[in-house]
Amino acid sequence: MTGKFITIEGLEGVGKSTQANNLAQWIKTKGHTIVRTREPGGTPIAEAIRDVVLDMHPEKMDPTTELLLVFAARKQHTESLIRPSLTKGAWVLSDRYTDATYAYQGGGRKLDLATISHLENLVLKGFKPDLTIWLDCDAEIGLARAKARGALDRIEVEDIGFFNQCRAAYQQRFEADPMRFIRLDANQSIEAVKADLVQALEGWYDTNS
Ligand code: Z5A
């Protein structure tokens, strides 16, 4: 039996890691083995690429370089960890996947969406998550939470306009494929988001398992 591939998406500080813990707990209560992972990263090679993407460099990174790096990491992650785990019947929960590329490199960096789509087809050949949880939150609120937590990485230091464009790109992804997404209001308290998450997951499970 093949497992399910679930991703969790949203801006920084929206609570992806926090709610991924709740999601993982819910998956276990359904009796499934879970593999938790993240992007960029998830395997040794992909984690090395993550460092290049997120570390500060004296040299400015070209946006297309950034795009190619996230897809290089994704290919390794998909073939080395995600697909083999699904084949074994595990459920895979990834903190971010291809929707993040449309949001950050498409919305934020303003790279051509057709180019991103072309790369996606080339690299993933139609492979995509069974379900994507989008934690939607005002960019100011998410960034304030991320800043309160500590030092910012190379992408987190972008201005608020960048993150508003990323959020708008997530909205476009949601509208283009609403059956794959569950959108949650992540401006709420951690407990309120968790309650909405579990309720939505139960509804999804009833029709998709
Ligand atoms: N990136 C890209 O550009 N292109 C791509 O294709 C991919 C990624 C895949 C990865 O960042 C970066 O890579 C990301 C996009 C880019 N860059 N940026 N900027 P990451 O994985 O290192 O981290 P992140 O995605 O930015 O997530 P985060 O900052 O770790 O935040 P989070 O996981 O969403 O939030 P959290 O850790 O659960 O919560 C943050 C704090 O807020 C914490 O103290 C919580 O206790 C608190 N919190 C959480 N929820 C709430 C609520 N509801 N109320 C109050 N406080 C809360």
Side-chain angles (χ1 to χ4, degrees), residues 57-69:
H57 306 283
E59 176 188 6
K60 183 179 176 342
M61 187 178 291
D62 182 274
T64 302
T65 304
E66 190 177 88
L67 174 68
L68 294 171
L69 284 170

Side-chain angles (χ1 to χ4, degrees), residues 12-13 54-56 142-158 163:
E12 21 292 305
L54 297 185
D55 286 355
M56 297 288 189
L143 280 176
R145 290 179 193 158
K147 279 180 185 158
R149 198 189 39 193
L152 302 179
D153 65 36
R154 194 182 59 82
I155 296 177
E156 286 170 335
V157 295
E158 292 291 342
F163 292 104

Side-chain angles (χ1 to χ4, degrees), residues 74-120:
R74 181 161 304 129
K75 181 65 175 172
Q76 189 65 29
H77 184 209
T78 303
E79 304 308 337
S80 182
L81 180 70
I82 299 174
R83 282 193 210 266
S85 302
L86 292 172
T87 303
K88 285 182 200 152
W91 284 39
V92 177
L93 172 56
S94 182
D95 188 333
R96 299 187 183 279
Y97 197 63
T98 310
D99 294 303
T101 307
Y102 283 93
Y104 286 81
Q105 282 65 51
R109 301 282 188 226
K110 298 201 173 306
L111 293 178
D112 179 31
L113 296 182
T115 303
I116 298 176
S117 175
H118 179 69
L119 264 176
E120 180 185 9

